[in-house]
Amino acid sequence: MENTAIERQSKKTDNNANQTSYYVSLTIAIIIGLFGVFVRFVPDVIPSLGQSTFLFSLIANVAILVASFLAFKVVFAILGFGSKKS
């Protein structure tokens, strides 16, 4: 008896989640976020900077917002939201 199984073509996926650029972008977002967290506590560690608490908090909040925006942008790109697919 002869094997009559039909040869199937390989399945093609559009999975692009393993691209290096996504991981680099997420790493940069994490570094910016950690910078924001550490800047927030600089006046607590160095008492002479106690007068500049508002400035350090402002810088920290902006850094965390930028990092969050970048991280959400990359995650949504990985998930495929907002991409122009034909």
Side-chain angles (χ1 to χ4, degrees):
M1 262 191 148
E2 189 175 323
N3 189 359
T4 59
I6 298 173
E7 295 269 336
R8 288 191 281 172
Q9 292 183 0
S10 61
K11 189 176 188 181
K12 294 188 181 199
T13 62
D14 58 349
N15 183 2
N16 61 356
N18 294 329
Q19 291 181 6
T20 307
S21 63
Y22 291 140
Y23 292 106
V24 171
S25 299
L26 282 175
T27 304
I28 291 171
I30 290 169
I31 290 170
I32 293 171
L34 286 175
F35 170 76
V37 170
F38 286 122
V39 165
R40 164 59 188 90
F41 294 106
V42 167
D44 295 341
V45 176
I46 304 172
S48 63
L49 296 174
Q51 299 292 326
S52 304
T53 304
F54 175 75
L55 178 66
F56 282 100
S57 291
L58 181 68
I59 293 170
N61 290 338
V62 169
I64 291 173
L65 284 174
V66 168
S68 299
F69 175 75
L70 289 174
F72 279 115
K73 184 177 174 184
V74 171
V75 168
F76 286 138
I78 290 172
L79 293 175
F81 296 119
S83 62
K84 309 280 186 198
K85 292 185 180 180
S86 301

